[in-house]
Structures are given as structure tokens and as C-alpha cells.
Amino acid sequence: MVVGCCIIKIRAEWVNSLKDKRMELRRIVDRTKNKFNISIAEVGSNDNHRVIELGFACVTNDAAVADSIIENVTDFIEKITDGEVFDIEREIL
């Protein structure tokens, strides 16, 4: 069993409140969950309304497949958000 984990940080300068951040976060999480079979949630920067920090994980039987899934998910998130992705941390276990 191989587990692929990733944390992606997005800078959202147009967000003016935690309510706006929650709306953008929910949109990203829902669209990503619907497209890919992964677990995804906000994992940090809860008090900073201009930074969205998402963590996601996938389970598979091959490290190359896990790496491919992580690459596809990060590309998808970059395309659907108006924010700037400024940090991506990956780990294959």
C-alpha cells in the first residue's frame, strides 16, 4: 500500500473575511472531491483569511500512480482557483 500526501498553500488576496475564505475553500474542496477519489480538507492557516492551506491524500498500490494523482490534483486546483499557489509539499509513503 502506498499513500500519497500533499499540502498546497494558496494566497487569496481578494478575500476580505473568513466568510469569503470559507466560500472559496468549500468551492475548491467540493470540485476536487467530485473529480478525484481523494480525501481533502483545510489543514492550516485557519485564522489567516488570505491564505488557504489544503491537505489531501490518496491511497494506491504503486508510487508512480500516487505521484501522478498528486500531480493531477495540484494542476486541477491551480486551474480552478483565482489565487496564487505559492507552496506545494509532497510526500509518498
Side-chain angles (χ1 to χ4, degrees):
M1 176 173 56
V2 177
V3 178
C5 304
C6 183
I7 296 176
I8 185 167
K9 296 179 184 176
I10 304 166
R11 186 173 295 115
E13 294 295 331
W14 75 94
V15 173
N16 294 317
S17 67
L18 288 174
K19 182 179 179 182
D20 291 343
K21 177 183 176 179
R22 281 192 307 269
M23 288 180 1
E24 179 68 9
L25 178 68
R26 177 59 46 209
R27 187 180 69 80
I28 294 170
V29 168
D30 288 346
R31 289 185 67 186
T32 306
K33 274 185 180 180
N34 286 337
K35 184 158 178 78
F36 301 96
N37 188 18
I38 60 168
S39 296
I40 184 169
E42 183 178 24
V43 294
S45 301
N46 296 337
D47 294 333
N48 185 350
H49 64 276
R50 298 201 186 240
V51 176
I52 298 170
E53 189 171 345
L54 294 171
F56 63 89
C58 63
V59 177
T60 184
N61 59 356
D62 186 13
V65 173
D67 189 50
S68 175
I69 291 170
I70 290 172
E71 184 68 30
N72 289 334
V73 172
T74 54
D75 288 345
F76 179 75
I77 290 173
E78 286 179 18
K79 288 177 186 171
I80 65 169
T81 185
D82 295 330
E84 170 194 359
V85 175
F86 67 94
D87 189 25
I88 299 174
E89 299 173 26
R90 303 168 178 233
E91 189 172 357
I92 307 289
L93 305 170

